[in-house]
């Protein structure tokens, strides 16, 4: 299951938006936090239908909701240039406010794969965006979380936040995994970060549909009808997230730019800000560069957490690692089996390929194809970070 965000020029908008094959468009703005709105789509499969739950939120309250027009269609594949329109009467808008709109769409199940596409038009700025999700009959998610009466659109919830299960009336079993998953290894590494062949469940407990619950332990949770089921919903429970603010939370993400000795000292600080600051100063050489490093680096960490949280924290994923170190790619192309990031600036020319590796814990998991040729580029970028040159 995937979604992509596309910006199209307004000129000839009606024809262009419908005549563009989704696989041929540059999706780099999918990971751009300066876009004027967010559109989260949660797809849930039931016995007879797909349910698409969406949340559209304007980032700037000075914008007007009536400037945006949202339309939906169904396509047989991302190769098709046109789709079958979904009538507005079939879109149930549950909440609408000055900067936010929520709704849901019911789509009959099909034995073959379908693509749900949405267009967002803004006549005032003469732009259009397209987003899509692939409706795969084998997609294992058959329930979703609700909080404060709204679907949870992220792959994580905060500690002690009340949530309920929705999607069907069956009782569920929740499995809790306390595994501290490893951070991604460098792009030139010949080996992958070691992950246990199987994960041991730390605890399980039953939960009734619509029963409110909050989670006091951070980690990975899996909701299933029973523990042998091949379907379910996985999500993380996090504290101090996606923006990391506590000193003790800042140590681990620095693994990508620190030496082994520096990283050990940062970990040994254990929340002691003075000890932590001394190590960062030893890396950058002066206070101003240290401030610039921390401000810019952890802004990237926050975005990586928001965009790429999976069965592990977003900053630990392969895409999160590349995003933190190299920033927003000039080009992002998405295919059925992979995602391609192209960096094409004067100072950096590189292409990173991420192959789709779906699991029950994350149907949208992507793994970087590592290559030795990235070694020089990698260390050059790390050196720039250490000198606070971005």
């Amino acid at each position: 299951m995937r979604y992509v965000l596309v910006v199209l020029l307004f000129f000839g908008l009606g024809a262009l938006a419908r005549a563009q094959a989704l696989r041929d468009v540059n999706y780099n703005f999918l990971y751009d936090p300066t876009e004027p709105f967010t559109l989260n789509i949660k797809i849930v499969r039931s016995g007879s239908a797909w349910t698409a739950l969406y949340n559209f939120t304007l980032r700037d309250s000075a914008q007007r909701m009536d400037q945006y027009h949202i339309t939906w269609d169904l396509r047989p594949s991302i190769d098709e240039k046109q789709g079958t329109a979904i009538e507005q009467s079939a879109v149930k808008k549950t909440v609408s406010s000055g900067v936010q709109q929520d709704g849901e769409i019911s789509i009959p199940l099909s034995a073959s794969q379908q693509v749900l596409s949405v267009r967002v038009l803004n006549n005032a700025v003469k732009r259009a965006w397209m987003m899509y999700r692939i409706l795969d009959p084998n997609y294992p998610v058959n329930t979703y979380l609700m909080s404060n009466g709204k679907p949870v659109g992220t792959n994580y919830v905060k500690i002690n936040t009340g949530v309920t299960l929705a999607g069907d009336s069956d009782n569920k079993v929740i499995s809790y995994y306390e595994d501290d998953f490893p951070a991604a290894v460098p792009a030139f590494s010949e080996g992958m970060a070691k992950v246990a062949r199987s994960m041991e469940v730390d605890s399980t407990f039953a939960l009734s549909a619509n029963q409110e619950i909050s989670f006091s332990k951070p980690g990975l949770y899996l909701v299933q009808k029973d523990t042998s089921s091949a379907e379910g919903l996985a999500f993380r429970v996090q504290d101090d997230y996606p923006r990391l603010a506590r000193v003790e939370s800042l140590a681990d993400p620095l693994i990508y730019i620190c030496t082994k000795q520096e990283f050990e000292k940062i970990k040994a600080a254990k929340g002691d800000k003075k000890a932590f600051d001394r190590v960062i100063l030893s890396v950058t050489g002066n206070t101003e560069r240290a401030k610039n490093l921390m401000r810019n680096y952890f802004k990237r960490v926050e975005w990586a957490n928001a965009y790429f949280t999976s069965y592990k924290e977003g900053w630990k994923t392969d895409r999160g690692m590349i995003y933190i170190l190299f920033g927003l790619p000039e080009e992002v192309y998405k295919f059925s089996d992979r995602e391609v990031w192209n960096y094409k600036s004067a100072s950096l020319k590189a292409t990173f390929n991420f192959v789709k590796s779906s699991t029950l814990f994350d149907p949208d998991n992507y793994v970087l194809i590592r290559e030795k040729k990235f070694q020089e580029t990698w260390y050059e970028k790390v050196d720039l970070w250490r000198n606070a040159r971005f």
Side-chain angles (χ1 to χ4, degrees), residues 1-14:
M1 196 70 60
R2 302 164 14 198
Y3 77 84
V4 292
L5 185 64
V6 180
V7 176
L8 301 171
L9 292 177
F10 185 79
F11 303 104
L13 188 59

Side-chain angles (χ1 to χ4, degrees), residues 111-130:
S112 59
Q113 190 178 89
Q114 301 177 88
V115 178
L116 175 65
S117 175
V118 56
R119 290 190 302 142
V120 180
L121 310 182
N122 186 322
N123 293 331
V125 297
K126 302 188 185 305
R127 290 180 69 186
W129 296 257
M130 292 189 70

Side-chain angles (χ1 to χ4, degrees), residues 157-164 174 205 207 211-217 221 235 237:
V157 296
K158 297 294 287 290
I159 279 180
N160 297 323
T161 296
V163 297
T164 58
I174 299 182
F205 53 93
L207 188 68
Q211 175 187 346
E212 184 172 86
I213 187 173
S214 61
F215 302 94
S216 60
K217 292 183 179 181
Y221 291 79
F235 60 93
V237 171

Side-chain angles (χ1 to χ4, degrees), residues 336-376:
S336 60
D337 60 345
R338 67 193 187 282
E339 187 167 307
V340 180
W341 292 14
N342 293 326
Y343 291 87
K344 305 180 71 173
S345 67
S347 60
L348 174 62
K349 297 187 185 301
T351 295
F352 297 99
N353 290 277
F354 304 88
V355 294
K356 193 169 185 179
S357 179
S358 300
T359 71
L360 174 62
F361 294 100
D362 182 13
D364 302 312
N365 185 48
Y366 285 86
V367 176
L368 174 66
I369 298 178
R370 289 165 168 79
E371 300 182 62
K372 270 290 188 180
K373 68 179 182 181
F374 294 132
Q375 184 166 347
E376 183 177 352

Side-chain angles (χ1 to χ4, degrees), residues 7 14 19 39 54 62 77 94 117 147 203 232 255 326 363 375 388:
V7 176
L39 177 52
Y54 75 88
S77 74
T94 57
S117 175
S147 182
S203 61
I255 192 172
F326 296 93
Q375 184 166 347

